[in-house]
Amino acid sequence: MKLRFRSTVCSMLAAIASGLPTQAEEFIIRTDHPGAEIQPTMYGLFFEDINYAADGGLYAEMVKNRSFEFPQNLMGWESFGSVALLDDGPFERNPHYVRLTAAPHKDKATGLTNEGFFGIAFRKGESYRFSLWARSTSQHPSKIRIELIDPSAAGETQVMASETIEIKDGQWQKYTTALTPSATVRKGKLRIFLDSKTGCDLEHISLFPAETWQGHENGLRKDLAQKLADIRPGLLRFPGGCIVEGTDLPTRYQWKNTVGPVENRPLNENRWHYTFRHRFFPDYYQSYGLGFFEYFRLAEEIGAEPLPVINVGLACQYQNKDPKAHVPADSLQPYIQDALDLIEFANGPTDSPWGKVRAEMGHPAPFNLRFLAIGNEQWGPEYPERLEPFVRAIRKACPEIKLVGSSGPKASGKEFDYLWPEMRRLKADLVDEHFYAPEEFFLSQATRYDSYPRKGPKVFAGEYACHGKGKKFNHFNASLLEAAFMTGLERNADVVHMATYAPLFAHTEGWQWRPDMIWFDNLGSVATASYYVQQLYASNKGSRVLPLTLDGQPVTGAEGQNGLYASAVTDDATGGYIVKIANTSDSPHEITLNFQKLKKGRSLTDGRVITLSAPLRPDGTPDIDCDNTLENPDRIIPVETALPASGNTASLTLPAKTFAVCRIPIAR
Ligand code: AHR
């Protein structure tokens, strides 16, 4: 975890700098009443291919339209000389390829250039794995030259790396070579020349950094995957979101198209290419190079429980009012079979049809799938009507799988009020709630789950983020209010079993939706303040909830509580306690943590407090409207200081607009 260390004096000074009087509060924590267990799945991640999160993002492929399957087959490519498009290639579901024929004169050139995703960025001295499928157009060998170029270098194109490949004969084969650029280039391109009189056919032209996350060949960008792992998430929900539904059913996410050899995974459109006309990206497609196998493997590698979402037979309901756009409720069998087959793909023995596919992809051991979400943001009677047969079939075949249903696109209102009872009737194990809401919502909803029934389905806060009023972009205050709200998730851990912020990733040049948790360009990435809030919760989730009160009341930002929010948990790993406090007010607070009913002979010992706060403006007030950027990534990062504790109390000064995680051990 990225942490800054600071002396306690510095934090006191920051508190004083705000110029406002310090307020004193005593939090009472009853250690003899440990309550609900914090589920291992409590704080997780939701990944959707929005904002170029997959192709052009986490999926490390650098070539756009590598199989020439975009509807405009040469989109992303610029061809020169004699280049023809053909469609009887070696991969049935991606049949297009290009034929390069030598120009009649030796000084003329034939070939093509790929522009990548907002350019192809490469670093000096690092190795890049180029590969393609090729055959010579005769029985004689053919030759190509591959270059990484900087087209904008001082007015003339410079070649930063170059290799040749000899294409042996007329049989399709995979060829690979490594390219090591002599300079770092942000907006480079990949260029391929035919370098012989004999022509050749080229297909699935690919370029990856040689170093990917965990070294997988069809791998993920290392910096981005590492950021996910660093959160220590308990859950990974994938692959969406609206892309699960599709704008129409033929373009819904179909997991079976995303497994098996990568060359033969058919292209799908990405609805985020056109959903917002003011953020229109006509070259945004889903190659499915990052498919269900890769999602399961990533979940395993970052220690997160996988939670796939599958289509329930409904296309996006926002875009499809006509009932004919959806699958009739009595014709759902293929969809239900997809769900059952998915469970077999994840968990089945290697001699089962889908377990065999998993094993052939390199993972004979099961992925231990335990949760499955059916439908994304669905609503109306058409949803339970379709969900019911799924529930029946999955309960019968795989009773161990826990099922997640939807409560619609909003966490209140008519649809929500209708769906919750329906989810109870269908005995969903969890219900997914979504809320992208302004400041007031996050300030007022820390008590949201206090009144939820304790029996029946559990809550999955599956998509949420504070969207500031007039500030629909990342800024510190939004993350602070998320932290405040999350104390309410934690206090209600008997009801809330999962929570995931959304969306996760955004490319600085290709976003459709803000705010997002991690921003990146082709060379780097930055964690936002919201990222650090998620990380602080997930890495300090603790074991069991402890009652924490101020004047006899839970600390929920209520009247008279001066903008404070708090929750407390035991930490079985250390035998100590963890207290999370969000100070959303403009004043610093002197807080005493009073741990009552410690076991006989036990006392607290000095601990540490990790705080997240905004940088101070010249006048000493916190600049809550700013966030980290690629240029300035460490403006807001967790800062660790000592937390003196003894007997049964610990005290701290919490500056205005600060989130703090206090870790207090027990003396041994
Ligand atoms: O997170 C962005 C979108 O918000 C998701 O695709 C959808 O589920 C919700 O409407």
Side-chain angles (χ1 to χ4, degrees), residues 46 48 50-51 237 240-245 271-272 318 376-377 409 432 434 436 463 502-504 513 516:
F46 162 46
E48 176 170 23
I50 181 172
N51 304 323
R237 174 184 184 234
C242 292
I243 64 165
V244 169
E245 300 155 20
R271 58 158 296 145
W272 297 112
Y318 282 117
N376 174 43
E377 284 179 345
D432 185 6
H434 293 182
Y436 299 101
E463 293 184 29
L504 184 52
W513 185 293
D516 305 286

Side-chain angles (χ1 to χ4, degrees), residues 224-300:
L224 297 182
Q226 188 61 52
K227 280 203 166 54
L228 302 186
D230 288 347
I231 285 191
R232 298 177 58 196
L235 180 78
L236 179 66
R237 174 184 184 234
F238 58 87
C242 292
I243 64 165
V244 169
E245 300 155 20
T247 295
D248 40 29
L249 283 175
T251 57
R252 73 191 186 278
Y253 195 99
Q254 298 189 57
W255 75 267
K256 287 177 178 168
N257 288 343
T258 75
V259 298
V262 74
E263 294 86 347
N264 211 15
R265 300 182 192 175
L267 186 85
N268 194 6
E269 70 165 39
N270 188 319
R271 58 158 296 145
W272 297 112
H273 130 185
Y274 52 74
T275 300
F276 301 120
R277 288 293 149 94
H278 60 289
R279 302 290 306 165
F280 186 63
F281 292 92
D283 64 349
Y284 195 4
Y285 285 85
Q286 300 181 76
S287 72
Y288 286 151
L290 170 50
F292 263 40
F293 178 84
E294 291 77 19
Y295 282 122
F296 278 117
R297 185 172 62 187
L298 174 66
E300 183 173 84

